Amino acid sequence: MTWKGVFPAVTTKFTADDQLDFKTFEKNLDAQLAAGVHGIIIGGTLGESSVLSPAEKVELLNFTLQKVEGRVPVVLNIAEGATRESIKIAESAQRSGISGLMLLPPMRYKSDHKETVTYFKSVAQATDLQIMIYNNPVDYKVDVTLDMFEELVDTKNIDAVKESTRDIVNVTRMINKFGDRFSIMSGVDTLALDSLVVGAKGWVAGLVCAFPEETVAIYNLVMEGRIKEAVEINRWFMPLLELDTFSKLVQYIKLAEAEVGLGTEIVRPPRLILSGNERTEVLGIIREAIKKRPVLNRSNGQRSTSTVTA
């Protein structure tokens, strides 16, 4: 597989009686593929992985593989506390037929340099699948440093990073030090355009769950060198993209999905559906953006051009 393009970190859909909602999930998945995304990531933070049972994760993975039918890579997120559990998941995932793994540092323990590198290498050695390291020290407290990546260079199936340090310069630091050894995927919606311009190969996106065409359009325009047009869409998009930077990003993005007809607001406890002033405020941001939604002109298959209308 190639770590390049727009990879939605899709949400997991639930029914009112707290079962997996495959009908709504399939509708959203179809919208992502129709918009021209380049991969699908399941079981991430947006996928509410921490409250899914192992059996549900298997169901979700198998359903996704069946519906995608090899059109784009399917990637599974691994976020576990124990190395042995991560290895089991990696081994099982390889048997399922997926294309790659997104791998966080150990959960619930702030591992040091040696522990972090050893953890990544141990999981990588257990599978032939390609691995994207998720580097998000803001939320998960472990910073995967340049020195750590230096020690991972010889681990051939670790070949990408989801760059979520919030430091845009880190994209350039990685390229200066490692060239194209690691594909850099922007992991913060608000910084994705900037990251792509300075050399990131793709975008692990959140608001794409509700606005797939606009997300793909920004990526395509940057790749075509049409930065001004990409900037116009990004300016419209920014109030929505900022919803991806809060602790309740799952609720916020699911509310956006519901507003555009690509999902529901239902989350799994301990998360709760938004209410009161908070819901009113977020809904106002979403509805104002929808009123000013760009008009996208489709051309050349899945490549998008655009004009923005108020």
Side-chain angles (χ1 to χ4, degrees):
M1 63 172 289
T2 302
W3 298 103
K4 184 177 181 180
V6 175
F7 280 55
V10 294
T11 60
T12 300
K13 312 300 190 290
F14 299 105
T15 62
D17 60 349
D18 198 31
Q19 303 300 309
L20 293 178
D21 181 357
F22 287 111
K23 182 178 179 181
T24 306
F25 182 77
E26 181 177 11
K27 182 178 182 180
N28 191 286
L29 198 59
D30 286 342
Q32 303 301 322
L33 295 171
V37 300
H38 307 84
I40 298 290
I41 299 176
I42 62 172
T45 302
L46 274 179
E48 295 176 72
S49 175
S50 62
V51 294
L52 295 176
S53 70
E56 286 175 323
K57 291 178 183 179
V58 171
E59 284 186 83
L60 195 63
L61 175 58
N62 289 338
F63 183 87
T64 304
L65 288 169
Q66 179 185 356
K67 295 302 176 181
V68 170
E69 296 181 313
R71 285 174 284 177
V72 298
V74 175
V75 176
L76 176 67
N77 181 57
I78 296 181
E80 300 294 327
T83 301
R84 66 178 186 176
E85 294 304 316
S86 297
I87 289 173
K88 287 180 183 178
I89 294 171
E91 292 173 338
S92 176
Q94 180 164 325
R95 292 192 295 270
S96 75
I98 68 169
S99 301
L101 301 170
M102 182 167 74
L103 182 60
L104 280 90
M107 295 288 95
R108 296 178 291 278
Y109 171 69
K110 186 179 179 181
S111 52
D112 67 16
H113 179 118
K114 182 178 180 180
E115 290 168 332
T116 303
V117 171
T118 301
Y119 171 79
F120 287 147
K121 286 185 175 182
S122 298
V123 177
Q125 289 166 2
T127 179
D128 295 326
L129 293 172
Q130 291 172 254
I131 295 173
M132 174 172 62
I133 299 299
Y134 186 177
N135 189 15
N136 185 347
V138 176
D139 293 324
Y140 300 113
K141 309 310 175 188
V142 176
D143 185 6
V144 187
T145 64
L146 294 180
D147 288 340
M148 291 182 190
F149 278 108
E150 182 72 53
E151 294 186 38
L152 296 171
V153 165
D154 292 333
T155 306
K156 299 302 183 184
N157 59 330
I158 295 179
D159 56 357
V161 55
K162 180 182 177 185
E163 165 53 45
S164 299
T165 63
R166 275 67 162 182
D167 182 358
I168 191 69
V169 181
N170 214 40
V171 176
T172 300
R173 293 189 187 105
M174 286 288 293
I175 295 171
N176 283 348
K177 188 169 182 64
F178 301 111
D180 61 0
R181 169 62 183 83
F182 299 102
S183 292
I184 301 171
M185 306 284 285
S186 175
V188 181
D189 275 358
T190 53
L191 299 178
L193 171 62
D194 309 72
S195 298
L196 291 168
V197 169
V198 297
K201 300 297 184 182
W203 179 359
V204 177
L207 267 297
V208 67
C209 295
F211 299 92
E213 291 194 350
E214 289 84 355
T215 307
V216 172
I218 289 173
Y219 171 80
N220 284 338
L221 288 167
V222 173
M223 294 302 104
E224 293 168 4
R226 299 162 66 179
I227 306 301
K228 182 178 180 180
E229 292 171 79
V231 168
E232 288 179 355
I233 300 175
N234 198 66
R235 285 174 179 160
W236 161 82
F237 215 172
M238 189 55 65
L240 294 167
L241 298 179
E242 288 180 326
L243 299 177
D244 186 53
T245 64
F246 293 89
S247 60
K248 290 188 179 180
L249 75 163
V250 176
Q251 291 95 315
Y252 294 174
I253 291 175
K254 281 195 165 184
L255 180 57
E257 287 181 317
E259 279 297 295
V260 297
L262 291 179
T264 71
E265 295 182 61
I266 301 173
V267 289
R268 175 167 282 181
R271 289 183 177 88
L272 297 175
I273 293 174
L274 299 176
S275 62
N277 291 337
E278 183 179 25
R279 185 178 187 277
T280 299
E281 181 179 349
V282 175
L283 196 56
I285 293 170
I286 295 167
R287 289 178 173 173
E288 181 66 19
I290 290 173
K291 285 195 300 184
K292 298 178 179 179
R293 197 169 186 174
V295 176
L296 302 179
N297 300 315
R298 306 289 287 180
S299 65
N300 189 20
Q302 292 302 326
R303 300 182 74 79
S304 300
T305 61
S306 69
T307 56
V308 181
T309 60

